[in-house]
């Protein structure tokens, strides 16, 4: 059989396992439900991992800010907060001002400059 013949064009290969699909619909791209699920899981695993990681970081930031509020601290050194696990790159709200950034983590708002977090308040 020569390459490029009509029979060669009719061959369909499963996107997941690479096996030939001898029968079925012409637009079928997986040989089984198992291959379809495996392909979907692999394709969406990285996005799910990133969302989980970001949610975890935001939860940690929120817990630290909430602890500061319960201690009635309205100002803290950024370096000491990052040592405790705070990640200043992750927030749910951000607005830049001339001398500081106004940030938020869910319902807690705070101001941040290069070295401090201050004016911590619950909205």
């Amino acid at each position: 059989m020569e390459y490029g013949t009509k029979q060669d064009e009719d061959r369909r290969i499963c996107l997941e396992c690479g096996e030939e699909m001898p029968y079925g619909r012409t637009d079928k791209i997986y040989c089984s439900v198992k291959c379809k699920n495996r392909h979907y899981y692999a394709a969406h695993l990285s996005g799910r991992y990133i969302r989980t990681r970001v949610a975890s970081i935001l939860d940690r930031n929120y817990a630290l800010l909430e602890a500061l509020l319960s201690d009635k601290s309205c100002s803290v050194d950024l370096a000491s907060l990052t040592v405790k696990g705070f990640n200043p790159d992750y927030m749910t709200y951000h607005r830049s001002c001339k001398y500081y950034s106004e940030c938020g983590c869910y319902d807690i708002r705070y101001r941040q400059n290069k070295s401090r977090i201050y004016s911590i308040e619950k909205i």
Side-chain angles (χ1 to χ4, degrees), residues 10-29:
D10 289 341
R11 284 183 37 201
R12 292 169 297 141
I13 306 296
C14 176
L15 284 179
E16 180 60 27
C17 67
E19 294 290 319
E20 184 176 344
M21 293 183 281
Y23 60 88
R25 293 174 38 171
T26 57
D27 60 344
K28 189 175 179 181
I29 56 176

PDB file of all heavy atoms in Angstrom, residues 10-29:
ATOM      1  N   ASP A  10      -8.218   7.399   5.488  1.00  0.00           N
ATOM      2  CA  ASP A  10      -9.343   7.005   6.323  1.00  0.00           C
ATOM      3  C   ASP A  10      -8.907   6.525   7.703  1.00  0.00           C
ATOM      4  O   ASP A  10      -9.742   6.393   8.590  1.00  0.00           O
ATOM      5  CB  ASP A  10     -10.162   5.910   5.636  1.00  0.00           C
ATOM      6  CG  ASP A  10     -10.939   6.451   4.440  1.00  0.00           C
ATOM      7  OD1 ASP A  10     -11.124   7.684   4.388  1.00  0.00           O
ATOM      8  OD2 ASP A  10     -11.336   5.656   3.575  1.00  0.00           O
ATOM      9  N   ARG A  11      -7.626   6.246   7.892  1.00  0.00           N
ATOM     10  CA  ARG A  11      -7.144   5.783   9.189  1.00  0.00           C
ATOM     11  C   ARG A  11      -7.240   6.914  10.204  1.00  0.00           C
ATOM     12  O   ARG A  11      -6.861   8.042   9.944  1.00  0.00           O
ATOM     13  CB  ARG A  11      -5.683   5.350   9.090  1.00  0.00           C
ATOM     14  CG  ARG A  11      -5.499   4.027   8.443  1.00  0.00           C
ATOM     15  CD  ARG A  11      -4.074   3.590   8.431  1.00  0.00           C
ATOM     16  NE  ARG A  11      -3.368   3.969   9.648  1.00  0.00           N
ATOM     17  CZ  ARG A  11      -2.054   4.059   9.736  1.00  0.00           C
ATOM     18  NH1 ARG A  11      -1.314   3.806   8.701  1.00  0.00           N
ATOM     19  NH2 ARG A  11      -1.480   4.405  10.859  1.00  0.00           N
ATOM     20  N   ARG A  12      -7.784   6.589  11.356  1.00  0.00           N
ATOM     21  CA  ARG A  12      -7.869   7.569  12.426  1.00  0.00           C
ATOM     22  C   ARG A  12      -7.106   7.043  13.619  1.00  0.00           C
ATOM     23  O   ARG A  12      -7.200   5.869  13.969  1.00  0.00           O
ATOM     24  CB  ARG A  12      -9.332   7.837  12.786  1.00  0.00           C
ATOM     25  CG  ARG A  12     -10.063   8.557  11.657  1.00  0.00           C
ATOM     26  CD  ARG A  12     -11.533   8.606  11.874  1.00  0.00           C
ATOM     27  NE  ARG A  12     -12.029   7.223  11.872  1.00  0.00           N
ATOM     28  CZ  ARG A  12     -12.962   6.784  12.686  1.00  0.00           C
ATOM     29  NH1 ARG A  12     -13.539   7.570  13.547  1.00  0.00           N
ATOM     30  NH2 ARG A  12     -13.359   5.529  12.654  1.00  0.00           N
ATOM     31  N   ILE A  13      -6.363   7.916  14.277  1.00  0.00           N
ATOM     32  CA  ILE A  13      -5.518   7.544  15.396  1.00  0.00           C
ATOM     33  C   ILE A  13      -6.048   8.232  16.655  1.00  0.00           C
ATOM     34  O   ILE A  13      -6.379   9.420  16.643  1.00  0.00           O
ATOM     35  CB  ILE A  13      -4.051   7.979  15.144  1.00  0.00           C
ATOM     36  CG1 ILE A  13      -3.525   7.426  13.812  1.00  0.00           C
ATOM     37  CG2 ILE A  13      -3.158   7.584  16.295  1.00  0.00           C
ATOM     38  CD1 ILE A  13      -3.431   5.926  13.752  1.00  0.00           C
ATOM     39  N   CYS A  14      -6.092   7.504  17.763  1.00  0.00           N
ATOM     40  CA  CYS A  14      -6.521   8.049  19.054  1.00  0.00           C
ATOM     41  C   CYS A  14      -5.502   9.092  19.518  1.00  0.00           C
ATOM     42  O   CYS A  14      -4.291   8.849  19.470  1.00  0.00           O
ATOM     43  CB  CYS A  14      -6.635   6.920  20.072  1.00  0.00           C
ATOM     44  SG  CYS A  14      -7.034   7.471  21.746  1.00  0.00           S
ATOM     45  N   LEU A  15      -5.990  10.249  19.954  1.00  0.00           N
ATOM     46  CA  LEU A  15      -5.093  11.313  20.413  1.00  0.00           C
ATOM     47  C   LEU A  15      -4.326  10.939  21.675  1.00  0.00           C
ATOM     48  O   LEU A  15      -3.235  11.443  21.910  1.00  0.00           O
ATOM     49  CB  LEU A  15      -5.881  12.592  20.696  1.00  0.00           C
ATOM     50  CG  LEU A  15      -6.330  13.412  19.517  1.00  0.00           C
ATOM     51  CD1 LEU A  15      -7.120  14.626  19.996  1.00  0.00           C
ATOM     52  CD2 LEU A  15      -5.168  13.850  18.673  1.00  0.00           C
ATOM     53  N   GLU A  16      -4.870  10.059  22.491  1.00  0.00           N
ATOM     54  CA  GLU A  16      -4.237   9.720  23.768  1.00  0.00           C
ATOM     55  C   GLU A  16      -3.258   8.558  23.649  1.00  0.00           C
ATOM     56  O   GLU A  16      -2.100   8.672  23.999  1.00  0.00           O
ATOM     57  CB  GLU A  16      -5.303   9.410  24.827  1.00  0.00           C
ATOM     58  CG  GLU A  16      -4.748   9.049  26.175  1.00  0.00           C
ATOM     59  CD  GLU A  16      -3.899  10.128  26.819  1.00  0.00           C
ATOM     60  OE1 GLU A  16      -4.087  11.320  26.534  1.00  0.00           O
ATOM     61  OE2 GLU A  16      -3.023   9.769  27.614  1.00  0.00           O
ATOM     62  N   CYS A  17      -3.725   7.429  23.157  1.00  0.00           N
ATOM     63  CA  CYS A  17      -2.870   6.234  23.165  1.00  0.00           C
ATOM     64  C   CYS A  17      -2.173   5.963  21.837  1.00  0.00           C
ATOM     65  O   CYS A  17      -1.234   5.173  21.772  1.00  0.00           O
ATOM     66  CB  CYS A  17      -3.674   5.006  23.588  1.00  0.00           C
ATOM     67  SG  CYS A  17      -4.937   4.505  22.406  1.00  0.00           S
ATOM     68  N   GLY A  18      -2.627   6.592  20.753  1.00  0.00           N
ATOM     69  CA  GLY A  18      -1.993   6.405  19.454  1.00  0.00           C
ATOM     70  C   GLY A  18      -2.457   5.174  18.699  1.00  0.00           C
ATOM     71  O   GLY A  18      -1.945   4.878  17.621  1.00  0.00           O
ATOM     72  N   GLU A  19      -3.403   4.440  19.255  1.00  0.00           N
ATOM     73  CA  GLU A  19      -3.931   3.245  18.587  1.00  0.00           C
ATOM     74  C   GLU A  19      -4.855   3.649  17.444  1.00  0.00           C
ATOM     75  O   GLU A  19      -5.516   4.687  17.489  1.00  0.00           O
ATOM     76  CB  GLU A  19      -4.705   2.377  19.585  1.00  0.00           C
ATOM     77  CG  GLU A  19      -3.850   1.771  20.671  1.00  0.00           C
ATOM     78  CD  GLU A  19      -2.924   0.698  20.150  1.00  0.00           C
ATOM     79  OE1 GLU A  19      -3.356  -0.105  19.292  1.00  0.00           O
ATOM     80  OE2 GLU A  19      -1.767   0.662  20.598  1.00  0.00           O
ATOM     81  N   GLU A  20      -4.916   2.791  16.446  1.00  0.00           N
ATOM     82  CA  GLU A  20      -5.799   3.030  15.314  1.00  0.00           C
ATOM     83  C   GLU A  20      -7.235   2.693  15.715  1.00  0.00           C
ATOM     84  O   GLU A  20      -7.486   1.728  16.436  1.00  0.00           O
ATOM     85  CB  GLU A  20      -5.384   2.158  14.129  1.00  0.00           C
ATOM     86  CG  GLU A  20      -6.187   2.427  12.894  1.00  0.00           C
ATOM     87  CD  GLU A  20      -5.704   1.620  11.709  1.00  0.00           C
ATOM     88  OE1 GLU A  20      -4.591   1.091  11.754  1.00  0.00           O
ATOM     89  OE2 GLU A  20      -6.473   1.528  10.741  1.00  0.00           O
ATOM     90  N   MET A  21      -8.179   3.526  15.276  1.00  0.00           N
ATOM     91  CA  MET A  21      -9.596   3.293  15.557  1.00  0.00           C
ATOM     92  C   MET A  21     -10.210   2.677  14.298  1.00  0.00           C
ATOM     93  O   MET A  21     -10.383   3.368  13.287  1.00  0.00           O
ATOM     94  CB  MET A  21     -10.293   4.606  15.913  1.00  0.00           C
ATOM     95  CG  MET A  21      -9.825   5.190  17.221  1.00  0.00           C
ATOM     96  SD  MET A  21     -10.693   6.684  17.678  1.00  0.00           S
ATOM     97  CE  MET A  21      -9.873   7.886  16.637  1.00  0.00           C
ATOM     98  N   PRO A  22     -10.544   1.386  14.344  1.00  0.00           N
ATOM     99  CA  PRO A  22     -11.020   0.717  13.138  1.00  0.00           C
ATOM    100  C   PRO A  22     -12.454   1.053  12.748  1.00  0.00           C
ATOM    101  O   PRO A  22     -12.843   0.847  11.611  1.00  0.00           O
ATOM    102  CB  PRO A  22     -10.898  -0.769  13.494  1.00  0.00           C
ATOM    103  CG  PRO A  22     -10.991  -0.806  14.981  1.00  0.00           C
ATOM    104  CD  PRO A  22     -10.405   0.484  15.460  1.00  0.00           C
ATOM    105  N   TYR A  23     -13.246   1.563  13.662  1.00  0.00           N
ATOM    106  CA  TYR A  23     -14.652   1.832  13.357  1.00  0.00           C
ATOM    107  C   TYR A  23     -15.131   3.009  14.198  1.00  0.00           C
ATOM    108  O   TYR A  23     -14.435   3.476  15.084  1.00  0.00           O
ATOM    109  CB  TYR A  23     -15.517   0.602  13.638  1.00  0.00           C
ATOM    110  CG  TYR A  23     -15.466   0.170  15.074  1.00  0.00           C
ATOM    111  CD1 TYR A  23     -16.335   0.698  16.009  1.00  0.00           C
ATOM    112  CD2 TYR A  23     -14.520  -0.763  15.507  1.00  0.00           C
ATOM    113  CE1 TYR A  23     -16.277   0.325  17.337  1.00  0.00           C
ATOM    114  CE2 TYR A  23     -14.451  -1.147  16.840  1.00  0.00           C
ATOM    115  CZ  TYR A  23     -15.327  -0.608  17.745  1.00  0.00           C
ATOM    116  OH  TYR A  23     -15.267  -0.985  19.044  1.00  0.00           O
ATOM    117  N   GLY A  24     -16.333   3.478  13.918  1.00  0.00           N
ATOM    118  CA  GLY A  24     -16.927   4.557  14.689  1.00  0.00           C
ATOM    119  C   GLY A  24     -17.167   5.786  13.837  1.00  0.00           C
ATOM    120  O   GLY A  24     -16.985   5.781  12.619  1.00  0.00           O
ATOM    121  N   ARG A  25     -17.560   6.835  14.494  1.00  0.00           N
ATOM    122  CA  ARG A  25     -17.850   8.091  13.799  1.00  0.00           C
ATOM    123  C   ARG A  25     -16.585   8.645  13.157  1.00  0.00           C
ATOM    124  O   ARG A  25     -15.482   8.446  13.662  1.00  0.00           O
ATOM    125  CB  ARG A  25     -18.414   9.115  14.777  1.00  0.00           C
ATOM    126  CG  ARG A  25     -19.768   8.740  15.319  1.00  0.00           C
ATOM    127  CD  ARG A  25     -20.253   9.663  16.388  1.00  0.00           C
ATOM    128  NE  ARG A  25     -19.928  11.065  16.161  1.00  0.00           N
ATOM    129  CZ  ARG A  25     -20.408  12.051  16.875  1.00  0.00           C
ATOM    130  NH1 ARG A  25     -21.225  11.802  17.887  1.00  0.00           N
ATOM    131  NH2 ARG A  25     -20.089  13.290  16.622  1.00  0.00           N
ATOM    132  N   THR A  26     -16.752   9.399  12.103  1.00  0.00           N
ATOM    133  CA  THR A  26     -15.595   9.942  11.401  1.00  0.00           C
ATOM    134  C   THR A  26     -14.934  11.086  12.167  1.00  0.00           C
ATOM    135  O   THR A  26     -13.767  11.371  11.956  1.00  0.00           O
ATOM    136  CB  THR A  26     -15.995  10.449  10.000  1.00  0.00           C
ATOM    137  OG1 THR A  26     -17.024  11.427  10.152  1.00  0.00           O
ATOM    138  CG2 THR A  26     -16.469   9.306   9.129  1.00  0.00           C
ATOM    139  N   ASP A  27     -15.670  11.723  13.092  1.00  0.00           N
ATOM    140  CA  ASP A  27     -15.089  12.810  13.870  1.00  0.00           C
ATOM    141  C   ASP A  27     -14.628  12.360  15.258  1.00  0.00           C
ATOM    142  O   ASP A  27     -14.251  13.167  16.092  1.00  0.00           O
ATOM    143  CB  ASP A  27     -16.070  13.974  13.996  1.00  0.00           C
ATOM    144  CG  ASP A  27     -17.371  13.579  14.687  1.00  0.00           C
ATOM    145  OD1 ASP A  27     -17.649  12.369  14.796  1.00  0.00           O
ATOM    146  OD2 ASP A  27     -18.103  14.499  15.091  1.00  0.00           O
ATOM    147  N   LYS A  28     -14.628  11.058  15.494  1.00  0.00           N
ATOM    148  CA  LYS A  28     -14.196  10.499  16.772  1.00  0.00           C
ATOM    149  C   LYS A  28     -12.679  10.676  16.909  1.00  0.00           C
ATOM    150  O   LYS A  28     -11.925  10.388  15.982  1.00  0.00           O
ATOM    151  CB  LYS A  28     -14.567   9.022  16.808  1.00  0.00           C
ATOM    152  CG  LYS A  28     -14.379   8.350  18.118  1.00  0.00           C
ATOM    153  CD  LYS A  28     -14.915   6.918  18.024  1.00  0.00           C
ATOM    154  CE  LYS A  28     -14.719   6.192  19.323  1.00  0.00           C
ATOM    155  NZ  LYS A  28     -15.204   4.813  19.222  1.00  0.00           N
ATOM    156  N   ILE A  29     -12.221  11.183  18.079  1.00  0.00           N
ATOM    157  CA  ILE A  29     -10.781  11.422  18.240  1.00  0.00           C
ATOM    158  C   ILE A  29     -10.138  10.575  19.342  1.00  0.00           C
ATOM    159  O   ILE A  29      -8.925  10.558  19.480  1.00  0.00           O
ATOM    160  CB  ILE A  29     -10.489  12.918  18.477  1.00  0.00           C
ATOM    161  CG1 ILE A  29     -11.250  13.453  19.677  1.00  0.00           C
ATOM    162  CG2 ILE A  29     -10.786  13.735  17.236  1.00  0.00           C
ATOM    163  CD1 ILE A  29     -10.936  14.892  20.030  1.00  0.00           C
TER     164      ILE A  29
END
